[in-house]
Amino acid sequence: MALYNFKKIMVVPTAKDFIDITLSKTQRKTPTVIHKHYQIHRIRHFYMRKVKFTQQNYHDRLSQILTDFPKLDDVHPFYADLMNVLYDKDHFKLALGQINIAKNLIDNVAKDYVRLMKYGDSLYRCKQLKRAALGRMCTILKRQKQSLEYLEQVRQHLSRLPTIDPNTRTLLLCGYPNVGKSSFINKVTRADVEVQPYAFTTKSLFVGHMDYKYLRWQVVDTPGILDHPLEERNTIEMQAITALAHLRAAVLYVMDVSEQCGHALSQQLELFNNIRPLFANKPLIVMANKCDVRKISELSEENQKIFADLIAEGITVIETSSLTDEGVMQVKAEACDRLLAHRVDTKMKTKKVHDVLNRLHLAVPTKRDQKERPPFIPEGALLRRKAVEMDAPKRKLERDLEVELGDDYTLNLQKYWDLMNPEEKQDKIPEVWEGHNIADYIDPEIMKRLEDLEREEELREKAGEYDSEEESEDEEMQEIRQLASQIREKRKLKILTSKEKDTQGPRMPRTAKKVERATLEKEMADLGLDMTDKDDSHYALRSRSLVRKRKREVSVPPMSRTRSQSTSRPPRDQSGVRDAKMLKKVKTMMKSSQKEMNRQGKKGESDRHVFDVKPKHLLAGKRKSGSTSRR
Amino acid sequence: MRIEKCYFCSAPVYPGHGMMFVRNDCKVFRFCRSKCHKNFKKKRNPRKTRWTKAFRKSAGKELTLDNSLEFEKRRNIPVKYNRELWSKTMEAMKKVEAIKNKRQARFIMNRLKSGKELEKAAAISEVKKNIHLIRAPHAGQAKQLEDKMVQKLAEDVEMDE
């Protein structure tokens, strides 16, 4: 369909722009560097390339323009006629023709100059030839300025035309200016056509879409037509005439009954008769619009006669008002139905229908007996239908109740509940008890289960499950418990005191601190010993004389000559040694631990000095046959 | 209006408390407080988190299988309101609650009973091992000896007589 391409036509540049674009493209896309010492064939090739490139560009763009624009012979006659009306067929064809000629001329120019270039013998000559060729091409194009401008304007206007599909279901509105065609289309479709009191508000065709019987319908609004012969019509009116002529649509001729449009009914009738021939083969409806202002019955005798005549001729006349919506739906339905019937008729007449008809077959089940089987409608449905027809609401609605009670009204849906006992409808139902949902416990058999549970509970109680255990512990056990708790307490205290000791300070032996008599006696008393009357025990404080007299043990004879303090203290190698056997063992241990050190010539344990870190005999030389486990 | 159960700790969630999380597979999780919610987000398993009811039940620390627990069950079939049924249910609820509490308490008590035996044994062993902390080995011996001697003397006197 040529429809869609109208929006896809390439932009037609002005002559100046065209030239600029092409020349700059040539400059960018072809090599630019050439010197006169190059070989001549290279120079020639260089300039030929430029000429050919420019020619190619012009050719391509002009061809595209020529193909993009619609050929008036190829499109639907409606569009062809419309374009003729709007843009003048001859002018259009001429413009395109000129472009075509320009294209051929450019081709020829390029051909000639390329041929001449073969004989160019210097850089300068070739360059001049190229300059001449390009110049001529550009001049040709400069002469096409007018055509290009015209084509650009045509393109812009063409892309804005409404997309009217000439083959689909269409309703066409026509009549005098200001009768109400645009108001009607605004009412019936989602189109938003300007409606104003002055004539010729609508200056071109407008399309709206609507739905009827699950099908898409086009409604075409036309500019008003005045009553004069075809030759005198201007462009705007011609558009309407074109639409009327070519679109196979249902025609809605709109008449203004109130004569607010400025033309008498007789004039409107005249126009109607004049364009009657255009309505041949199209379903026709006459809309008597603006009937809210004046009805047909309010008209004068002769005007009423006009309408009577029309009806007598068999043309449907419907009174409408775009303002009050009276008759609009009726018109729509009537027009659509008539058009559908008309289309079906035309389709039946063509040969294509038979293909479809051959494939359709209505299957009807064969009667197996003579029994009558009419459709069954239940009584309730029939009654309800009658009630609907009688139009009286039988029951009181909530709304009525609300209005009646006014402020006191509260929505009480509980009254519609379907319960076993209707008097329980207004109960407040408890939902929660002490953290439990009552709904979780609801069970028709709950009483039975409860009984079972209680029985079970009784049995358990009888069995003695719930008897509390007596404290059947004898005295001994109690005593043990008491002792155990005392022990635990004592332990904890000991741990605490041990934690409090000073770990950072010097570790003094136990004998460094003097033990008080009182604390010793108290401690021993706590442990159960009898500490009374211990004045003459060995730990109680005595006079100095008694202290001096102490028992002397047999002391070891001095080992060395000096009888100093060291005699009371045994020498280091004997302290901690019990006897000669142990002494001997100790000495051998000492010696054996020193053996390894002495062998290695070390001064002591901490001597880690290595005399020869990297001995040459191990690290130098080639690897001969030998183990590589060590170096 | 319902009191829901927290998914994590099984505590009651009253209306207006807690959070509800709906997952993409349309499963709904309710939480009683942000503690449970945060734990859930950390992907912790309530059956392994010691303070939850789920853990306690799965570890056998609380009563799980019992007839008194079968009374409170979410039934998805609604029952039409019937005053008599509702009032009976309320009474039954109270009784069932009492029995349930009794049984749960009994269960826990039984569980803790064995602890008493262990306690006894521990006390005995403690005393045996560490008696020296509170009692010296020959604590009452002096007195005993004295008493014995007194007794012996008395006997001697008797014999003499």
Side-chain angles (χ1 to χ4, degrees):
Chain A
M1 265 304 274
L3 254 174
Y4 191 63
N5 294 348
F6 290 176
K7 298 207 195 293
K8 280 223 174 147
I9 303 176
M10 195 189 85
V11 179
V12 179
T14 58
K16 192 155 143 338
D17 279 342
F18 205 158
I19 295 170
D20 282 341
I21 292 167
T22 316
L23 288 181
S24 72
K25 201 164 182 187
T26 316
Q27 195 182 20
R28 281 177 294 128
K29 303 277 185 184
T30 52
T32 47
V33 178
I34 190 87
H35 295 291
K36 58 180 182 188
H37 60 78
Y38 286 359
Q39 294 179 323
I40 190 64
H41 70 86
R42 197 169 156 193
I43 295 173
R44 278 191 206 132
H45 181 76
F46 175 83
Y47 285 112
M48 266 200 276
R49 188 170 164 181
K50 288 207 187 270
V51 170
K52 278 201 217 150
F53 188 84
T54 317
Q55 178 257 322
Q56 191 67 40
N57 265 319
Y58 277 132
H59 181 98
D60 285 341
R61 283 189 98 103
L62 292 170
S63 322
Q64 176 143 50
I65 292 172
L66 287 170
T67 45
D68 273 350
F69 274 92
K71 280 214 210 38
L72 291 180
D73 309 321
D74 285 349
V75 300
H76 194 270
F78 167 64
Y79 275 105
D81 238 359
L82 192 63
M83 284 173 69
N84 181 21
V85 163
L86 292 168
Y87 320 126
D88 193 9
K89 185 165 65 174
D90 298 330
H91 192 176
F92 185 76
K93 281 195 175 166
L94 263 173
L96 286 177
Q98 294 277 0
I99 300 285
N100 199 17
I101 293 173
K103 187 178 78 169
N104 291 335
L105 285 176
I106 289 174
D107 289 341
N108 289 338
V109 160
K111 227 191 313 184
D112 287 337
Y113 276 88
V114 161
R115 224 181 305 138
L116 283 177
M117 199 84 75
K118 288 191 210 154
Y119 302 108
D121 46 0
S122 74
L123 182 116
Y124 180 73
R125 286 243 167 88
C126 290
K127 185 169 178 180
Q128 295 298 86
L129 281 170
K130 167 213 133 200
R131 223 167 138 244
L134 257 49
R136 276 180 78 170
M137 287 193 240
C138 294
T139 323
I140 295 169
L141 214 59
K142 245 197 282 190
R143 288 206 302 261
Q144 305 307 323
K145 185 164 129 172
Q146 305 278 12
S147 306
L148 288 168
E149 270 175 19
Y150 167 76
L151 282 172
E152 174 60 19
Q153 286 188 354
V154 166
R155 182 197 76 87
Q156 281 181 355
H157 197 269
L158 210 51
S159 66
R160 290 201 197 100
L161 283 183
T163 43
I164 301 174
D165 186 353
N167 292 331
T168 181
R169 302 158 287 271
T170 323
L171 299 179
L172 198 51
L173 294 160
C174 56
Y176 259 96
N178 256 354
V179 294
K181 304 186 284 299
S182 304
S183 322
F184 181 77
I185 194 178
N186 279 346
K187 271 272 173 258
V188 162
T189 69
R190 277 205 71 182
D192 206 3
V193 185
E194 218 185 311
V195 174
Q196 295 281 354
Y198 60 85
F200 289 104
T201 318
T202 316
K203 290 189 255 300
S204 64
L205 300 171
F206 284 93
V207 186
H209 292 86
M210 66 177 199
D211 294 317
Y212 180 77
K213 279 196 182 155
Y214 310 106
L215 293 167
R216 257 290 107 142
W217 296 75
Q218 280 179 140
V219 184
V220 177
D221 182 24
T222 63
I225 317 169
L226 294 170
D227 193 13
H228 37 225
L230 193 66
E231 302 77 36
E232 292 170 28
R233 293 200 184 280
N234 58 25
T235 329
I236 304 175
E237 292 172 336
M238 277 310 291
Q239 288 184 50
I241 300 290
T242 318
L244 269 174
H246 290 281
L247 293 175
R248 288 187 314 142
V251 178
L252 301 172
Y253 184 75
V254 188
M255 297 184 77
D256 183 359
V257 183
S258 65
E259 296 180 0
Q260 274 179 353
C261 60
H263 304 275
L265 267 174
S266 45
Q267 288 177 312
Q268 297 187 31
L269 184 65
E270 267 294 313
L271 174 66
F272 177 73
N273 288 329
N274 281 344
I275 52 176
R276 203 64 185 277
L278 286 169
F279 301 156
N281 271 354
K282 300 191 174 76
L284 171 66
I285 293 181
V286 171
M287 281 171 54
N289 207 9
K290 302 194 194 173
C291 71
D292 53 310
V293 179
R294 200 182 299 168
K295 290 212 173 294
I296 291 184
S297 37
E298 296 167 21
L299 283 176
S300 60
E301 276 294 320
E302 17 179 87
N303 289 341
Q304 280 202 20
K305 200 167 137 317
I306 296 172
F307 284 107
D309 285 339
L310 283 174
I311 295 171
E313 284 175 42
I315 302 168
T316 343
V317 176
I318 302 178
E319 281 199 320
T320 58
S321 170
S322 301
L323 215 68
T324 60
D325 274 351
E326 201 185 312
V328 164
M329 289 295 126
Q330 208 187 345
V331 164
K332 183 170 139 184
E334 182 71 36
C336 293
D337 289 334
R338 297 242 323 250
L339 183 63
L340 275 174
H342 179 80
R343 280 168 75 96
V344 166
D345 279 338
T346 30
K347 277 194 192 141
M348 293 288 274
K349 285 189 206 139
T350 64
K351 291 193 202 149
K352 279 197 250 177
V353 172
H354 291 294
D355 293 340
V356 180
L357 276 178
N358 286 341
R359 281 186 257 158
L360 290 175
H361 168 67
L362 180 65
V364 173
T366 50
K367 281 192 191 284
R368 61 173 170 175
D369 55 22
Q370 297 304 313
K371 190 169 170 188
E372 271 282 317
R373 291 190 175 85
F376 173 72
I377 302 171
E379 275 213 34
L382 274 174
L383 283 173
R384 207 172 292 141
R385 201 185 282 178
K386 273 199 209 128
V388 165
E389 282 168 14
M390 278 200 277
D391 228 26
K394 289 287 161 86
R395 59 192 175 94
K396 192 173 182 190
L397 302 172
E398 275 294 316
R399 175 74 186 146
D400 298 333
L401 193 61
E402 188 182 343
V403 163
E404 215 181 280
L405 293 174
D407 258 342
D408 307 323
Y409 174 71
T410 46
L411 179 63
N412 185 11
L413 288 172
Q414 288 179 314
K415 65 185 180 224
Y416 292 120
W417 284 358
D418 172 29
L419 299 175
M420 301 243 284
N421 313 334
E423 62 269 10
E424 290 172 4
K425 278 186 190 174
Q426 305 297 332
D427 274 359
K428 282 208 197 310
I429 305 172
E431 290 176 28
V432 166
W433 175 76
E434 275 213 0
H436 300 283
N437 294 309
I438 292 174
D440 289 344
Y441 285 85
I442 297 291
D443 188 6
E445 298 168 11
I446 193 169
M447 296 319 291
K448 187 161 122 345
R449 285 170 63 199
L450 178 66
E451 268 177 54
D452 291 338
L453 184 73
E454 290 195 318
R455 224 181 296 140
E456 204 188 305
E457 192 65 18
E458 262 177 68
L459 286 171
R460 282 201 195 181
E461 270 190 48
K462 274 198 203 131
E465 228 183 274
Y466 292 112
D467 302 333
S468 57
E469 303 254 323
E470 282 144 24
E471 300 287 321
S472 54
E473 275 195 347
D474 47 355
E475 248 191 54
E476 198 192 316
M477 204 54 226
Q478 282 182 348
E479 211 187 295
I480 288 175
R481 277 195 202 268
Q482 205 202 12
L483 283 176
S485 66
Q486 277 179 344
I487 288 168
R488 278 184 225 127
E489 207 189 308
K490 192 77 195 289
R491 272 186 85 183
K492 284 197 188 125
L493 280 173
K494 280 193 132 192
I495 290 167
L496 276 177
T497 48
S498 142
K499 280 191 180 154
E500 280 164 21
K501 71 177 179 249
D502 178 21
T503 43
Q504 303 281 351
R507 277 177 73 180
M508 304 293 278
R510 195 164 50 87
T511 48
K513 215 166 43 181
K514 186 173 167 13
V515 176
E516 292 293 321
R517 181 184 170 181
T519 49
L520 176 70
E521 290 199 339
K522 185 167 168 295
E523 215 180 289
M524 290 299 148
D526 285 341
L527 285 173
L529 296 167
D530 181 24
M531 296 307 251
T532 55
D533 201 29
K534 292 276 183 186
D535 275 340
D536 48 349
S537 61
H538 68 284
Y539 59 81
L541 229 124
R542 301 176 188 187
S543 54
R544 285 193 112 206
S545 55
L546 285 164
V547 170
R548 275 200 201 129
K549 250 198 206 160
R550 67 165 210 269
K551 273 203 201 136
R552 276 189 182 268
E553 285 175 354
V554 175
S555 57
V556 177
M559 291 281 185
S560 60
R561 256 174 276 127
T562 51
R563 296 184 190 193
S564 56
Q565 205 180 6
S566 61
T567 54
S568 59
R569 276 202 221 142
R572 264 216 208 140
D573 58 351
Q574 287 163 30
S575 70
V577 176
R578 281 185 295 239
D579 47 20
K581 187 173 159 208
M582 196 179 176
L583 184 68
K584 197 165 164 232
K585 185 160 185 191
V586 157
K587 286 246 188 272
T588 45
M589 277 173 78
M590 181 184 80
K591 294 261 190 264
S592 64
S593 70
Q594 288 178 1
K595 264 195 201 135
E596 192 56 37
M597 281 191 291
N598 294 337
R599 191 183 70 81
Q600 289 173 0
K602 293 200 173 179
K603 281 188 230 159
E605 286 175 344
S606 59
D607 183 3
R608 278 193 281 266
H609 179 251
V610 179
F611 289 96
D612 195 357
V613 178
K614 290 195 253 191
K616 186 168 173 183
H617 68 286
L618 293 177
L619 300 169
K622 298 183 188 171
R623 245 185 224 290
K624 306 244 176 84
S625 68
S627 159
T628 54
S629 62
R630 57 195 165 87
R631 194 58 177 108
Chain B
M1 201 179 61
R2 270 187 75 87
I3 297 174
E4 306 284 350
K5 284 242 164 302
C6 172
Y7 168 80
F8 201 80
C9 64
S10 316
V13 184
Y14 277 79
H17 289 256
M19 286 239 266
M20 175 161 91
F21 165 61
V22 182
R23 213 164 48 179
N24 274 356
D25 61 358
C26 306
K27 190 156 184 239
V28 174
F29 299 91
R30 290 172 198 271
F31 305 106
C32 57
R33 56 203 198 284
S34 61
K35 175 177 179 178
C36 300
H37 187 42
K38 284 190 184 148
N39 272 317
F40 176 79
K41 283 195 281 189
K42 288 184 182 173
K43 291 189 173 181
R44 292 212 181 132
N45 188 357
R47 289 169 149 265
K48 290 204 184 156
T49 319
R50 295 191 77 90
W51 52 273
T52 56
K53 260 297 189 255
F55 172 84
R56 303 213 78 210
K57 297 228 164 181
S58 71
K61 295 194 188 287
E62 291 205 353
L63 186 64
T64 31
L65 298 168
D66 194 43
N67 282 343
S68 62
L69 296 172
E70 296 297 314
F71 278 79
E72 181 167 15
K73 190 168 67 160
R74 187 187 182 137
R75 285 157 252 261
N76 288 323
I77 308 165
V79 177
K80 274 201 183 160
Y81 176 69
N82 184 355
R83 195 186 290 170
E84 181 199 325
L85 179 63
W86 246 250
S87 51
K88 277 216 205 113
T89 307
M90 289 240 38
E91 289 166 23
M93 248 169 87
K94 294 178 181 144
K95 290 190 193 144
V96 166
E97 188 67 18
I99 293 174
K100 185 165 69 154
N101 287 339
K102 225 175 13 161
R103 288 195 187 175
Q104 277 175 339
R106 173 59 29 191
F107 183 82
I108 292 174
M109 273 298 145
N110 284 345
R111 190 163 61 87
L112 298 176
K113 238 192 269 187
S114 54
K116 291 238 188 291
E117 305 297 317
L118 290 172
E119 246 185 69
K120 254 195 223 176
I124 291 169
S125 78
E126 178 99 50
V127 164
K128 269 205 195 127
K129 280 196 200 149
N130 296 330
I131 190 70
H132 60 88
L133 292 177
I134 51 169
R135 212 131 288 180
H138 52 91
Q141 267 182 28
K143 188 131 193 307
Q144 261 180 24
L145 213 63
E146 226 185 283
D147 286 340
K148 245 194 207 165
M149 286 192 68
V150 163
Q151 206 187 26
K152 213 169 168 203
L153 276 171
E155 273 177 24
D156 283 342
V157 164
E158 263 183 43
M159 271 184 52
D160 281 344
E161 285 172 9

